[in-house]
Amino acid sequence: MRVTQIPFKTSKMVASELVSINAKLLTQAGFIHQELAGAYTMLPLGLRVLTKIENIIRAQMDKVGVEINMTSLAPIANWQQSGRFETVDVLMKTTPANKVSAQKNTTEYVLSPTHEDMITPMIAEGNRSYKDLPISVYQIQTKFRNEPRAKSGLLRGREFRMKDLYSFHVSEADLMRFYEAMKPRYSAIYEKLGIGNDTYITLASGGDFTTEYSHEFQTVLDSGEDTIYLDRENRIAYNKEVTSPEDAKKLGVDFSKLEIVRASEVGNIFPLMTKFSKAFNYTYADENGTQNPVFMGCYGIGSTRLMGVIVEKFADGKGMVWPKAIAPFAVELIDINAHERGEEIYTKLQDTGIEVLWDDRDERAGAKFADADLIGIPVRLVVSAKTGDQIEWKDRTSDQTQLLELNTVLERLKI
Ligand code: ATP
Ligand code: MG
């Protein structure tokens, strides 16, 4: 991609209401555009990063489930049937905007914050025998939540993206077998995203579905909104919400010995048991033809929140620093008064299948370098009168530059 193709410029100035580091940097670098507090458009560079994050999630989820894409609009009746219409404190609904619209259709709809209330009756439709189970279905799409505070950029959206997987089982034992198998899938995702070391499986409240605990995946982060008690040695953590004296006893943990840190919840797996199957009368017939309730689990990962977490985790004084696996491009190419040479190298890199962003603007070198640091692509290549037949290579996180032959550059980037 050429920088001149992108109709969204980098800027030093950002709206003063953008207080979070991730929203500031992503906005300055032209990755996102805030439409309202908690809702962000993905611009070309941001969309590339988000797509890569979601493809990493997708690759792991394809090992355990099949992908669908559900609607965001949901009938209010479904939410009433589960008893959640009046109780979910972030639930939003649509109404006709004006009289003329109301003349056409006055129906109101829920804007889905999660999909148990929709997927349970849908799966129940055609899967009523023990032979149909287990079932595991996931999607990666937009959710809506009426969040009271939306000052943390991508960490907390009113409109945000989530991977949500739902599993359906004949028994609690089968649910828990699947539930346990999700943990390594989640760990593999965070590992690939470059935050594996800083992301801890964390015991959290089981909510009103189960008296047991659920598990969150928490990434240690100063600006994170959660507080966790961390046992670094054993790589396990406890959400503050489960650190009461009763919990201490039940879990056999001395919380006073643990490190208290801030963290951001980047995933959550939840044994729903029979809460939704009961609400939607989802039973299956066993070998004897007896009807039994289906056991369910749900498994979420916030893909846009992850993007914000990764920005905050790795940013330095000059801008963002993307892990290779999700950088918008593998290299940024800068030409300084050497447009023809730039074009030649750009074409070569593209022909070799290397993802390259070419800063082909008619700009001062200093401005291009500053923008490259801000955007945070792992490798910066420079061609100028000074570099002659060679190319200057600099890693984003290093101050050293090297002059290399084109072939060496291509070799290095192929790995
Ligand atoms: P939180 O406690 O942060 O409000 P939650 O526990 O209500 O989140 P879940 O219903 O567990 O959220 O959603 C699954 C995942 O979706 C979370 O682990 C998180 O990564 C992400 N997520 C939840 N709410 C938001 C939001 N408002 N903005 C961005 N990501 C979110
Ligand atoms: Mg959660």
Side-chain angles (χ1 to χ4, degrees), residues 377-396:
I377 290 170
V379 175
R380 185 187 85 186
L381 301 176
V382 176
V383 291
S384 66
K386 243 173 47 193
T387 61
D389 283 346
Q390 293 183 300
I391 299 168
E392 183 192 278
W393 171 298
K394 186 180 114 31
D395 290 315
R396 170 63 180 77

Side-chain angles (χ1 to χ4, degrees), residues 68-320:
I68 60 171
N69 186 34
M70 300 186 74
T71 64
S72 290
L73 291 183
I76 285 174
N78 286 52
W79 283 79
Q80 282 169 335
Q81 189 163 342
S82 65
R84 297 211 292 179
F85 187 70
E86 297 296 342
T87 57
V88 170
D89 61 357
V90 291
L91 197 63
M92 295 205 266
K93 69 171 186 189
T94 65
T95 59
N98 55 44
K99 278 191 190 144
V100 271
S101 172
Q103 274 165 11
K104 296 194 170 147
N105 174 18
T106 53
T107 315
E108 296 182 327
Y109 307 97
V110 163
L111 275 172
S112 298
T114 177
H115 279 78
E116 290 83 1
D117 308 69
M118 294 305 295
I119 199 165
T120 309
M122 181 172 81
I123 295 295
E125 264 173 40
N127 300 288
R128 295 241 167 216
S129 158
Y130 72 96
K131 289 182 191 157
D132 298 321
L133 301 170
I135 287 171
S136 160
V137 175
Y138 80 97
Q139 59 178 347
I140 306 175
Q141 45 93 282
T142 303
K143 302 285 190 246
F144 298 88
R145 293 188 185 183
N146 195 18
E147 300 282 0
R149 293 163 293 115
K151 288 196 176 348
S152 306
L154 294 185
L155 300 190
R156 185 163 300 281
R158 295 195 165 107
E159 176 178 337
F160 62 96
R161 285 176 65 85
M162 189 208 284
K163 182 283 297 179
D164 44 330
L165 185 147
Y166 304 89
S167 72
F168 303 82
H169 309 267
V170 292
S171 64
E172 182 174 346
D174 195 59
L175 162 61
M176 293 322 288
R177 172 197 60 78
F178 186 88
Y179 184 87
E180 287 306 317
M182 284 301 267
K183 292 178 184 173
R185 296 274 76 85
Y186 269 49
S187 299
I189 290 166
Y190 303 121
E191 195 66 45
K192 289 217 157 67
L193 292 173
I195 54 172
N197 270 339
D198 289 312
T199 303
Y200 292 87
I201 190 153
T202 304
L203 256 71
S205 141
D208 45 348
F209 307 140
T210 151
T211 53
E212 284 303 307
Y213 299 99
S214 73
H215 291 85
E216 294 173 344
F217 291 78
Q218 294 273 2
T219 306
V220 174
L221 187 72
D222 288 340
S223 55
E225 294 178 358
D226 288 1
T227 302
I228 61 169
Y229 286 56
L230 182 58
D231 178 350
R232 270 187 210 270
E233 216 178 282
N234 295 308
R235 292 207 59 84
I236 185 158
Y238 304 85
N239 192 311
K240 191 172 177 229
E241 70 195 16
V242 298
T243 54
S244 71
E246 296 90 78
D247 288 306
K249 218 160 148 201
K250 201 156 145 193
L251 295 165
V253 177
D254 181 356
F255 291 117
S256 70
K257 292 225 166 75
L258 303 185
E259 199 182 328
I260 302 174
V261 296
R262 303 284 287 177
S264 182
E265 181 193 323
V266 291
N268 194 183
I269 59 177
F270 224 104
L272 297 170
M273 299 298 172
T274 56
K275 153 117 182 155
F276 291 95
S277 51
K278 285 203 172 121
F280 291 96
N281 304 315
Y282 183 12
T283 57
Y284 72 93
D286 64 17
E287 290 92 328
N288 307 316
T290 311
Q291 294 294 318
N292 300 283
V294 169
F295 282 80
M296 283 176 61
C298 69
Y299 316 82
I301 293 184
S303 55
T304 44
R305 177 178 287 181
L306 269 167
M307 185 167 158
V309 165
I310 290 166
V311 169
E312 302 221 357
K313 198 85 213 159
F314 298 113
D316 62 15
K318 297 177 194 159
M320 299 186 288

